[in-house]
Amino acid sequence: MKIGSIINGQEYKEEHRETLSVFNPYNQEKVAEIALAGVEDVNKAIDQGFETFHSTMKTMPAYQRSNILLTTANLLEDRKESFAETIAKEAGKPLKYSRGEVDRAVQVLRFASENAKHIYSEVIPMDAAVGGENRLGFTKRTPLGVVSAITPFNFPLNLSLHKLAPAIAAGNVVIFKPAEKTPVSAYMLVQLFHEAGLPTGALNLIMGKGEVVGDALVQHDKVQKVTFTGSLPVGKNIRKKAGFKKVTLELGSNSPNILFDDADMKQAVEDLVKGAFAFSGQVCISAQRIYVHHSLYDSFLKEYVKQTEALTVGDPLNENTDFGPMINKEAAERAKTWIDDAVSNGARIATGGELNETMLAPTIMTDVKSDMKIIADEVFAPIVSVIPFEIEEEVVKHSNDSVYGLQAGVFTKDINRALRVADKLEMGGVWINEISTYRQDNHPYGGVKQSGIGREGVKYAIEDMTELKFIGINLNEKRL
Ligand code: NAD
């Protein structure tokens, strides 16, 4: 299967183009070949999108945008299995999690379809200002125009939709650059939107390498907003180059989870196995640091190791597989080095640590120190550290000792403590009696510190995809 960029409905995969092969990370079978785009393709996609915005999207009524999003949701639901299998193959994500991703993606489209009809504005009480008598003032939320959306490999469908669906709901056009590691579900998604009736120039797909096409997507004068999900270094670079454009950055994390002495340990263990090892820890809010009250530490660790070792490891396409490969050998080797570094500095492996090609075993570390990479940096791999603590102030301090702040989990039956700790944690979101890894698609989601700028979660992303325009009328009779 050879696929290429799609600009105004036309696909670009001519012979002369450089290509990139996409391999199944589990067995290295070829999944697809992509014909790479260059800067001239990006410029064409943006010019085309700009035209479509002014000719069509800017004035498309809300009910039509809503219908297109709903039709796309229904088509995606009908083709759930084909999308889930594609994600399992291109990303190596176990089928059960790939299906879960498609279910969420359908919901994101439905939320966007509903929200497209509820983009409200307000009337300003103009007479609150001295001299404001006889004036009417109100706001309108207007679409921005051309939005560049750049997405990562780990949720190739759902995280793309967290950008595409709100952008379309608000009446924008999108230049969409998916991760080159997982381009097939993105390609299928663009076709779905077109089948659902979206004007072809309103969603242009760029199949390119980030380092080649990235700057053009970020710096072009006709782009009004850049929305990016991915790693911190790329996010920093985008922020620097975007100039006056609006920017949303959804970046990394090393999420803490805290178990106080009154936590429901049985439930927490079960949830944290998924929280650390779902999709091999390649989730931005994966549980990376688990702080356990010293009174529970030994029993927690014993049970946590036991349940982790019971995971069914293997081919992502098998129905029963819980745990599959990492995205590529390079990523797995990098993670293994971090484990080895920690061990050489005194950390211990409670389970896991073995690497075979892309398969890094689910790994639990203990006796870690706060300056080790597996604690201080984002591991983005199936590695979790279990750390004992004694007092609340201490665990809050350790949890906040990070350049990141995306989501955290707090487990306790004491509601006063839960809310106190939630207030003190420097995070974009805090879950109480739930793992950091849990996310619903309708709550505000995004980071503080170097975890990012802006919020997604459909309603909030729509706000960020619009500009607030003020319109005022002087009602003095002599002016009429
Ligand atoms: P990545 O940063 O390597 O790539 C993300 C996207 O950026 C890809 O499409 C890539 O082609 C593109 N890119 C690369 N260089 C670029 C450049 N110079 N200019 C513009 N675009 C460029 O990230 P990844 O490995 O695909 O994903 C993993 C990262 O994403 C992790 O750090 C993870 O925490 C983060 N992430 C964050 C969230 C969130 O919501 N906060 C969600 C998922 C993943």
Side-chain angles (χ1 to χ4, degrees):
M1 182 192 198
K2 185 172 177 183
I3 57 179
S5 303
I6 302 177
I7 303 172
N8 201 22
Q10 190 189 330
E11 191 172 348
Y12 291 82
K13 51 179 181 181
E14 312 88 333
E15 283 308 312
H16 70 265
R17 282 171 188 271
E18 206 190 312
T19 59
L20 187 74
S21 295
V22 179
F23 297 100
N24 176 328
Y26 180 69
N27 54 21
Q28 301 311 313
E29 274 173 20
K30 192 164 163 179
V31 178
E33 190 169 70
I34 54 177
L36 293 171
V39 170
E40 60 296 348
D41 297 304
V42 176
N43 291 338
K44 189 192 288 182
I46 293 172
D47 287 340
Q48 183 62 57
F50 189 77
E51 255 183 67
T52 307
F53 175 67
H54 287 284
S55 65
T56 315
M57 286 304 282
K58 194 176 177 183
T59 49
M60 183 185 276
Y63 73 86
Q64 272 184 28
R65 304 194 307 265
S66 174
N67 279 343
I68 289 167
L69 289 159
L70 185 60
T71 309
T72 311
N74 295 341
L75 287 171
L76 180 57
E77 196 167 46
D78 289 347
R79 294 177 208 167
K80 173 175 168 178
E81 270 312 291
S82 136
F83 271 87
E85 263 181 39
T86 301
I87 295 169
K89 281 184 193 158
E90 67 179 355
K93 182 177 289 186
L95 203 48
K96 59 171 90 162
Y97 292 120
S98 297
R99 287 189 181 123
E101 179 171 348
V102 182
D103 287 339
R104 284 181 58 189
V106 170
Q107 271 205 79
V108 166
L109 281 160
R110 294 207 168 119
F111 281 134
S113 166
E114 289 156 12
N115 276 283
K117 293 184 179 175
H118 298 276
I119 304 177
Y120 295 110
S121 305
E122 61 182 355
V123 174
I124 315 292
M126 298 299 287
D127 62 353
V130 177
E133 296 91 336
N134 284 325
R135 283 168 202 269
L136 174 65
F138 58 93
T139 59
K140 285 182 89 172
R141 286 218 163 260
T142 57
L144 301 172
V146 180
V147 174
S148 286
I150 305 173
T151 56
F153 76 83
N154 63 334
F155 286 83
L157 183 66
N158 199 36
L159 290 181
S160 300
L161 275 169
H162 267 290
K163 303 185 181 308
L164 272 47
I168 291 164
N172 297 292
V173 305
V174 188
I175 315 301
F176 171 32
K177 200 215 85 62
E180 54 271 45
K181 294 168 197 149
T182 51
V184 187
S185 49
Y187 174 83
M188 290 161 67
L189 177 63
V190 170
Q191 288 178 324
L192 223 55
F193 268 111
H194 291 157
E195 198 179 327
L198 185 71
T200 49
L203 175 56
N204 289 330
L205 174 71
I206 293 294
M207 289 291 190
K209 290 185 182 169
E211 59 271 26
V212 176
V213 295
D215 284 359
L217 284 161
V218 172
Q219 291 179 311
H220 197 296
D221 282 343
K222 288 181 184 159
V223 171
Q224 298 300 318
K225 172 172 176 130
V226 182
T227 171
F228 170 79
T229 300
S231 60
L232 178 57
V234 178
K236 276 186 175 166
N237 182 46
I238 288 176
R239 176 72 167 149
K240 230 186 277 162
K241 292 189 168 154
F244 277 105
K245 296 175 175 62
K246 280 180 172 246
V247 175
T248 295
L249 300 176
E250 296 282 351
L251 310 176
S253 173
N254 55 354
S255 297
N257 287 262
I258 306 171
L259 266 77
F260 285 100
D261 51 358
D262 58 352
D264 178 347
M265 199 186 79
K266 189 167 167 289
Q267 189 62 52
V269 168
E270 213 173 281
D271 293 348
L272 282 163
V273 173
K274 283 203 196 89
F277 301 121
F279 194 32
S280 302
Q282 299 168 119
V283 179
C284 48
I285 39 180
S286 195
Q288 181 171 327
R289 300 176 283 157
I290 304 179
Y291 294 101
V292 184
H293 191 263
H294 69 98
S295 61
L296 302 179
Y297 182 81
D298 289 338
S299 46
F300 175 87
L301 188 61
K302 190 165 164 227
E303 191 54 29
Y304 195 43
V305 167
K306 185 173 147 209
Q307 290 195 29
T308 298
E309 288 176 349
L311 288 171
T312 305
V313 177
D315 188 344
L317 282 162
N318 284 348
E319 293 284 337
N320 297 328
T321 297
D322 299 312
F323 183 90
M326 286 186 65
I327 190 68
N328 56 32
K329 218 173 146 193
E330 191 191 353
E333 281 168 358
R334 187 265 309 157
K336 169 74 173 143
T337 315
W338 287 19
I339 297 173
D340 294 344
D341 280 356
V343 170
S344 63
N345 284 299
R348 292 207 296 202
I349 299 174
T351 185
E354 308 86 15
L355 174 65
N356 180 8
E357 299 292 319
T358 52
M359 297 292 285
L360 178 62
T363 302
I364 301 174
M365 307 291 296
T366 63
D367 302 278
V368 293
K369 297 190 191 87
S370 57
D371 59 350
M372 291 174 172
K373 272 181 169 303
I374 55 167
I375 295 296
D377 292 348
E378 177 185 44
V379 289
F380 217 62
I383 307 170
V384 63
S385 296
V386 183
I387 308 151
F389 76 91
E390 294 201 13
I391 54 170
E392 186 182 307
E393 287 72 22
E394 171 202 353
V395 77
V396 168
K397 188 164 159 271
H398 285 306
S399 299
N400 287 340
D401 180 19
S402 171
V403 298
Y404 295 113
L406 194 48
Q407 279 204 163
V410 178
F411 294 81
T412 176
K413 294 198 176 81
D414 178 343
I415 188 68
N416 291 330
R417 171 155 65 188
L419 293 175
R420 190 169 60 235
V421 171
D423 275 346
K424 287 184 192 162
L425 288 173
E426 296 161 1
M427 302 284 154
V430 177
W431 275 107
I432 294 164
N433 292 327
E434 181 57 89
I435 48 178
S436 62
T437 325
Y438 184 76
R439 176 185 180 185
Q440 278 184 205
D441 299 293
N442 61 340
H443 67 70
Y445 178 82
V448 298
K449 301 197 227 173
Q450 295 188 26
S451 284
I453 300 171
R455 292 293 176 268
E456 293 194 333
V458 180
K459 172 173 173 275
Y460 307 93
I462 289 178
E463 241 166 61
D464 275 357
M465 297 278 188
T466 57
E467 200 67 79
L468 197 62
K469 178 182 264 184
F470 168 75
I471 299 175
I473 309 175
N474 186 331
L475 293 169
N476 274 315
E477 270 182 29
K478 57 181 183 219
R479 299 200 178 216
L480 293 172

